[in-house]
Amino acid sequence: MLFKRKEKIGTEPKHLPRHVGIIMDGNGRWAKKRGLPRSAGHSAGAEALKKIVTEANKLGIEYVTVYAFSTENWKRPADEVKYLMSLLLDYLKNAEKNLAGDNTVIRVIGSRAELSEEIQEQIIKTEKLTEHNTGTILNIALNYGGREEITHAVREICADVQRGALDVGDIDEQTVDGKLYTHGQPDVDLLIRTSGEMRLSNFMLWQVSYAEMWFTDKLWPDFKPSDFRHAVSEFGQRGRRFGGI
Ligand code: FPP
């Protein structure tokens, strides 16, 4: 699919990223600074996300993947996990009404088995409802871990070998790529992480191999569409060599 630029962005970029990954970090610190509970930070984070998705649609970005809940986030206090799950459920439910207006396609990536039945059912509904939209594809990484994704892919490949559908000698990078939750999607071109942290935190380990990384000290709830445009614009100024010269 070709990029459909619907709006000019500040500094004219040479290229738009096809796929932007976002590690939405800093909700807790945002709340703490205001003397609010962490849940308020997550709630403000969900609002920030809505605006960024609208912006991505306007710019004609094809894929956005956001890190909403990692396989490690279960270690958080039970009430915080519960709140995050209710926020995610709400987001998926409202996507039916709101986000479809943005023409967004919603997909959820990660291991679903550990999620509540209600969330699993809602994921199926929301994915079905938005599947024919033609705007940005928003992957919500939920109970997602890069290592888990690769492990899952290895298991699937082994199963194919075991039932005689695949020869070991035929396994190549495309085979692995085709078994990831993001199969059929391009690699991440631009990875954004907020809140001044400069780690990957088990996010899309395979897909970020050649991603340009962009960091900001802003906390996620403070991250504005103008910041997103700034990151996209800087991406366009960078020279990517993919290992060449
Ligand atoms: C990291 O901030 C953020 C998360 C673990 C959750 C991200 C969730 C949202 C932005 C809202 C819900 C998402 C959707 C898709 C509706 P942190 O809590 O680690 O912040 P801290 O490092 O300042 O404590």
Side-chain angles (χ1 to χ4, degrees):
M1 190 169 104
L2 290 170
F3 304 129
K4 286 189 220 92
R5 295 274 305 282
K6 292 172 197 153
E7 190 181 89
K8 294 227 181 243
I9 55 177
T11 319
E12 197 60 25
K14 276 194 276 202
H15 315 283
L16 266 184
R18 291 188 70 192
H19 192 163
V20 180
I22 310 181
I23 303 179
M24 311 180 285
D25 198 5
N27 295 347
R29 277 163 284 167
W30 183 92
K32 195 172 177 199
K33 263 173 52 179
R34 286 162 179 76
L36 298 169
R38 294 177 58 82
S39 55
H42 294 314
S43 173
E47 290 307 310
L49 176 61
K50 285 181 195 164
K51 295 194 186 104
I52 299 307
V53 176
T54 300
E55 192 62 24
N57 265 293
K58 273 195 204 159
L59 294 173
I61 307 272
E62 291 174 78
Y63 300 89
V64 172
T65 302
V66 292
Y67 210 3
F69 192 91
S70 76
T71 44
E72 289 73 37
N73 284 153
W74 298 105
K75 292 183 215 147
R76 294 191 174 208
D79 60 341
E80 182 170 345
V81 169
K82 200 170 159 206
Y83 187 80
L84 275 169
M85 288 298 157
S86 68
L87 204 57
L88 284 157
L89 182 63
D90 200 53
Y91 193 85
L92 291 169
K93 272 188 185 157
N94 283 320
E96 293 186 358
K97 288 187 232 120
N98 306 333
L99 286 189
D102 266 348
N103 216 6
T104 307
V105 179
I106 299 210
R107 293 192 189 149
V108 175
I109 62 169
S111 175
R112 295 190 187 180
E114 297 80 7
L115 301 172
S116 73
E117 259 178 47
E118 192 182 14
I119 294 191
Q120 291 190 41
E121 280 165 19
Q122 188 60 48
I123 290 171
I124 294 168
K125 272 195 213 161
T126 305
E127 286 187 334
K128 200 150 184 54
L129 189 95
T130 62
E131 71 182 343
H132 298 300
N133 286 347
T134 55
T136 299
I137 294 174
L138 173 68
N139 297 313
I140 300 177
L142 179 49
N143 193 28
Y144 173 89
R147 288 183 172 188
E148 192 283 327
E149 179 178 40
I150 293 168
T151 308
H152 175 260
V154 169
R155 242 186 262 122
E156 296 234 313
I157 291 167
C158 290
D160 284 353
V161 171
Q162 209 168 30
R163 66 187 170 87
L166 181 66
D167 279 341
V168 171
D170 290 337
I171 298 172
D172 57 13
E173 291 189 10
Q174 270 166 320
T175 317
V176 179
D177 209 72
K179 297 292 189 188
L180 300 177
Y181 297 127
T182 53
H183 60 89
Q185 302 186 4
D187 281 349
V188 172
D189 299 302
L190 168 65
L191 175 67
I192 296 173
R193 181 166 188 156
T194 57
S195 90
E197 305 292 347
M198 295 183 189
R199 288 186 293 276
L200 277 179
S201 301
N202 203 13
F203 184 63
M204 304 195 93
L205 299 179
W206 178 279
Q207 299 92 330
V208 298
S209 293
Y210 284 99
E212 294 293 325
M213 299 168 90
W214 193 88
F215 300 105
T216 173
D217 285 340
K218 280 204 177 180
L219 303 174
W220 175 252
D222 290 330
F223 191 76
K224 301 275 177 304
S226 56
D227 298 311
F228 186 74
R229 284 204 303 275
H230 184 191
V232 167
S233 175
E234 285 202 357
F235 169 86
Q237 311 303 321
R238 294 196 190 170
R240 299 176 85 198
R241 293 190 295 277
F242 296 98
I245 53 169

